């Protein structure tokens, strides 16, 4: 009639089948810390992806502006600025490079220019491309059209 197992051993056997509240709280705490770390890593990856996309777009715009030099932008010393439709701003700086003994150029009708194109993204990152071009006085869209026009032969 009497249970021969002591009451403490009987109580332990009944509760050993589940988890204590303390064990559950510790497990949730560890899980929460792991999830926060994973979310931060994901957010950092997304920021890096966005920066790479902006950088690639800025490079594409800068190359496009370089291609416009002599077509829609005159090759003459000065600076021109503007903005693309997607929020990227651009600046083109053209500087004539003086040649030593320029008067003794032997009939040289072209002059060297340094061309710098800087494109700044909406988030502040920028790309700068620099190159050198040869051009003559007033070399730009109008002179390019004149050079391409057929000439009458006599």
């Amino acid at each position: 009639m009497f249970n021969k197992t002591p009451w403490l051993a009987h109580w332990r056997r009944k509760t050993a089948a589940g988890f204590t509240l303390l064990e559950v709280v510790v497990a949730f705490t560890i899980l929460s810390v792991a999830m926060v770390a994973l979310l931060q890593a994901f957010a950092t990856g997304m920021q890096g992806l966005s920066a790479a996309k902006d950088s690639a777009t800025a490079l594409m715009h800068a190359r496009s502006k370089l291609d416009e030099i002599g077509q829609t932008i005159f090759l003459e010393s000065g600076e021109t600025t503007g903005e693309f439709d997607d929020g990227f701003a651009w600046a083109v700086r053209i500087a004539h490079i003086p040649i030593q003994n320029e008067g003794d150029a032997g009939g040289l009708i072209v002059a060297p220019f340094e061309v710098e194109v800087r494109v700044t993204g909406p988030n502040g990152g920028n790309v700068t491309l620099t190159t050198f071009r040869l051009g003559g006085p007033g070399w730009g869209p109008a002179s390019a059209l004149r050079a391409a026009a057929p000439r009458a032969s006599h």
Side-chain angles (χ1 to χ4, degrees), residues 67-153:
D67 290 342
E68 289 182 25
I69 305 297
Q71 302 298 317
T72 59
I73 299 174
F74 283 100
L75 188 57
E76 58 189 14
S77 295
E79 187 165 328
T80 308
T81 60
E83 191 169 314
F84 293 102
D85 293 336
D86 56 0
F88 285 79
W90 57 270
V92 174
R93 185 186 59 81
I94 301 173
H96 176 261
I97 300 171
I99 302 173
Q100 277 187 342
N101 301 327
E102 201 164 327
D104 288 341
L108 185 66
I109 58 170
V110 295
F113 291 88
E114 179 182 16
V115 178
E116 178 184 279
V117 176
R118 177 182 300 264
V119 176
T120 304
N123 297 327
N126 62 52
V127 170
T128 302
L129 298 180
T130 303
T131 189
F132 297 96
R133 297 280 172 96
L134 291 176
W139 196 81
S143 60
L145 289 175
R146 280 194 305 271
R151 296 182 185 205
S153 58

Side-chain angles (χ1 to χ4, degrees), residues 5-57:
T5 58
W7 69 272
L8 186 59
H10 180 70
W11 181 77
R12 280 189 185 156
R13 212 175 13 239
K14 282 186 175 180
T15 60
F19 296 104
T20 64
L21 179 61
L22 181 61
E23 290 170 332
V24 171
V25 169
V26 169
F28 274 122
T29 302
I30 292 171
L31 183 63
S32 299
V33 169
M35 289 299 290
V36 166
L38 284 173
L39 288 175
Q40 285 178 341
F42 181 72
T44 301
M46 291 303 290
Q47 288 173 347
L49 185 63
S50 175
K53 179 182 173 267
D54 284 352
S55 188
T57 302

